[in-house]
Amino acid sequence: MSPLCEHCGENMKKMNQQVSVMRKEIKNLRQTLDGAVRAHRKHLMSIQAAVSKADSSGHNKKDCSSSLSAPDALEQGNIRTVPIGYISSCFSVKNGTPRQPTICSPSRAQLRIQQSVFNNPEHSVLGLEQYSHVWIIFLFHKNGHQGYKAKVKPPRLNGQRVGVYSTRSPHRPNSLGLTLAKLDKIQGDTLHLSDIDMIAGTPVLDIKPYIPEYDSLNTRKRLESNPDLQTEEKEVNISSFHQEDKTDDDDEILHLKQKSELGVCLTPPQTQVFPKEAASLLKEVESYVNEADLTPPDCEDKNKVSDCGKTEPAAEIVDRPSYGSDSSTTIADWIREPPVSSLDVRFTPQAQKQLDAFLPAHSSEPSECDRPRFKFLRSPEEAGAAIRAVLSADPRSVYRRTRCRDRLFFFSLDTADVTCWFGQGFAEVLEVRPVRPPGPEDPSQ
């Protein structure tokens, strides 16, 4: 090849590189332009809403309220939500807060029903103590004025894009959140919760009890496969909840049934005498509690044997893997097998010593003691377990995980500020210091 051709080849290579860079720049400009257009549209919509509200305020308020009643507003989709309370949590900021409630079981929070919603807030939670878990519907109030997109990048996918409605991303059109929390106790109008993933100040819109018969697919399928058990349970529920005069036997049956839901062995005392239907019900529930989740029901006759031998076609479960005995329950494969693996967490001797210096919540030590004290967590061991749970799930964003050179990470847990750094496959806690109370000279105020 002549020197001229080699020179032309180098020029062509440089030109191709420049074209590639220009294409990337054009793509970035298009994305920026699309974001600006969406922001402009939202701004126009907010202006139109403000103008229409100003116009409507000029008319008689009574006429406006009478022209659009509450049922009509609901039918048209005009919903005005009022928070029933605000979360007081061991997580004060978004940084380091678990993305799901199952990540950090020692996490604790309190929810107090506001008196502006009910004259007697404690009346609204009457009977809720009978449930072990509750659904909390809340708002992602720390999203700021950021827009939302049809595709998002979940941290567990390490940068891959999926549809927003196939994820639990907080950046949604209505910014609604849903979490299943453990109800520890109720004191007056205050709910004490654990297994939470909400930060302090989160507005709560509603509370609903968790009922496995309605909310758990496994329980629903078992009830559908055994209609006799479902009928007997309904009879017991009706007789126990709708009769004012209950006998001692009925109270004992309900008590034993509640124990069965908690996995307690159901062996009735020999001194008690139960009705025949209740005894058969208890035997059914005992066999159900002791039965493994993945074990199919035993086949007692020939007809049942033929039914149990049937299996689903393999083609139906190739694309959507099923878990457990219910083949109709499917989830995305990246939920169970994410590309991001969990991390090993360790403490430096100094950090462990600083953590052990914290006093647990409701400690008998005098408040004048110089040692720091937790507000929610019950012991330094529980705090250590919470820190390990948060860091093992890698709370960093995709950008900090892949592009940011600074490996230091800071987050707050209860009354402690935690400093750590991330290495290859591990996270190490460097310091655990008390949260510094904000003063008048604090620039954050």
Side-chain angles (χ1 to χ4, degrees):
M1 181 179 294
S2 63
L4 182 61
C5 293
E6 292 180 356
H7 184 67
C8 292
E10 293 178 356
N11 290 337
M12 289 294 296
K13 186 177 181 180
K14 292 181 180 180
M15 289 291 293
N16 289 333
Q17 292 177 352
Q18 293 178 359
V19 169
S20 177
V21 172
M22 292 173 63
R23 286 177 177 174
K24 292 181 180 179
E25 292 293 335
I26 292 174
K27 182 180 179 181
N28 293 335
L29 289 175
R30 286 177 177 174
Q31 292 178 352
T32 304
L33 181 61
D34 292 341
V37 170
R38 287 194 296 268
H40 180 64
R41 289 177 181 174
K42 291 183 63 176
H43 187 58
L44 287 179
M45 292 176 62
S46 62
I47 293 176
Q48 292 176 357
V51 170
S52 61
K53 185 177 180 180
D55 293 340
S56 61
S57 62
H59 300 287
N60 194 342
K61 294 183 178 180
K62 294 184 179 179
D63 296 338
C64 294
S65 60
S66 60
S67 61
L68 187 62
S69 60
D72 294 336
L74 287 177
E75 291 180 0
Q76 295 182 10
N78 299 325
I79 304 174
R80 180 174 297 177
T81 59
V82 178
I84 64 173
Y86 295 87
I87 289 290
S88 177
S89 169
C90 63
F91 300 106
S92 58
V93 294
K94 291 193 301 181
N95 207 30
T97 301
R99 298 186 178 98
Q100 297 299 328
T102 56
I103 293 178
C104 184
S105 58
S107 58
R108 302 185 185 278
Q110 296 177 4
L111 172 60
R112 184 176 183 181
I113 309 299
Q114 288 189 318
Q115 196 169 4
S116 59
V117 180
F118 299 104
N119 293 331
N120 298 300
E122 63 275 6
H123 293 178
S124 64
V125 296
L126 185 63
L128 191 61
E129 71 278 357
Q130 302 178 28
Y131 300 90
S132 63
H133 293 75
V134 290
W135 294 106
I136 304 294
I137 302 174
F138 62 94
L139 283 176
F140 291 107
H141 67 299
K142 289 295 185 178
N143 282 356
H145 298 286
Q146 299 178 359
Y148 49 86
K149 299 180 180 180
K151 289 185 177 181
V152 294
K153 299 178 180 179
R156 287 171 66 90
L157 275 178
N158 207 23
Q160 301 180 29
R161 291 181 180 271
V162 291
V164 65
Y165 291 129
S166 66
T167 70
R168 302 284 184 91
S169 171
H171 303 288
R172 320 176 74 84
N174 292 317
S175 299
L176 286 178
L178 175 68
T179 191
L180 181 62
K182 187 177 183 295
L183 180 59
D184 294 331
K185 61 180 178 179
I186 300 178
Q187 290 182 335
D189 57 358
T190 303
L191 279 65
H192 295 260
L193 309 170
S194 59
D195 295 1
I196 56 98
D197 56 352
M198 298 171 287
I199 66 175
T202 298
V204 175
L205 302 181
D206 199 4
I207 305 169
K208 297 180 184 293
Y210 172 76
I211 305 175
E213 284 77 5
Y214 308 149
D215 301 333
S216 174
L217 280 178
N218 291 334
T219 304
R220 289 165 59 182
K221 289 296 181 181
R222 287 192 178 94
L223 291 177
E224 291 175 2
S225 62
N226 195 344
D228 296 336
L229 178 60
Q230 185 177 10
T231 304
E232 292 177 359
E233 284 187 349
K234 288 183 178 179
E235 292 177 355
V236 173
N237 289 335
I238 292 173
S239 62
S240 58
F241 286 102
H242 293 281
Q243 291 181 0
E244 296 181 355
D245 300 329
K246 295 190 296 182
T247 62
D248 295 336
D249 289 340
D250 292 332
D251 291 336
E252 187 67 17
I253 293 171
L254 180 60
H255 178 67
L256 290 174
K257 184 184 175 186
Q258 291 175 351
K259 283 188 174 182
S260 68
E261 295 177 354
L262 299 175
V264 181
C265 181
L266 295 176
T267 303
Q270 297 179 356
T271 57
Q272 298 288 340
V273 179
F274 297 99
K276 184 177 180 181
E277 294 81 6
S280 61
L281 170 62
L282 293 176
K283 290 181 180 180
E284 293 279 359
V285 176
E286 182 179 6
S287 62
Y288 158 68
V289 171
N290 296 328
E291 181 184 10
D293 291 339
L294 300 180
T295 303
D298 296 335
C299 300
E300 298 179 356
D301 52 21
K302 295 182 180 180
N303 295 331
K304 291 184 180 179
V305 171
S306 61
D307 293 337
C308 293
K310 295 180 181 179
T311 57
E312 295 293 333
E316 296 183 1
I317 59 175
V318 170
D319 297 332
R320 298 189 303 169
S322 62
Y323 301 91
S325 59
D326 185 10
S327 61
S328 64
T329 305
T330 59
I331 62 174
D333 54 356
W334 61 270
I335 298 295
R336 293 295 178 94
E337 298 177 358
V340 180
S341 58
S342 60
L343 304 177
D344 294 331
V345 182
R346 59 198 185 199
F347 287 74
T348 62
Q350 178 186 1
Q352 187 63 51
K353 183 178 180 181
Q354 293 172 345
L355 179 62
D356 294 337
F358 277 78
L359 292 174
H362 310 293
S363 174
S364 58
E365 294 286 338
S367 58
E368 293 81 8
C369 183
D370 295 335
R371 295 174 59 186
R373 184 189 303 267
F374 288 122
K375 181 180 178 181
F376 295 94
L377 300 174
R378 298 176 178 176
S379 65
E381 291 77 16
E382 189 176 67
I387 294 174
R388 288 186 177 89
V390 170
L391 295 179
S392 63
D394 199 345
R396 296 175 298 173
S397 63
V398 176
Y399 174 80
R400 289 184 62 88
R401 188 185 303 152
T402 57
R403 298 185 181 182
C404 187
R405 295 183 178 180
D406 186 8
R407 296 187 176 183
L408 286 177
F409 188 80
F410 309 91
F411 71 98
S412 297
L413 176 67
D414 204 342
T415 58
D417 281 335
V418 182
T419 303
C420 62
W421 75 285
F422 290 88
Q424 189 66 30
F426 72 91
E428 187 175 35
V429 180
L430 303 178
E431 286 185 347
V432 182
R433 295 186 176 274
V435 174
R436 183 173 61 89
E441 70 280 356
D442 195 341
S444 62
Q445 301 297 316

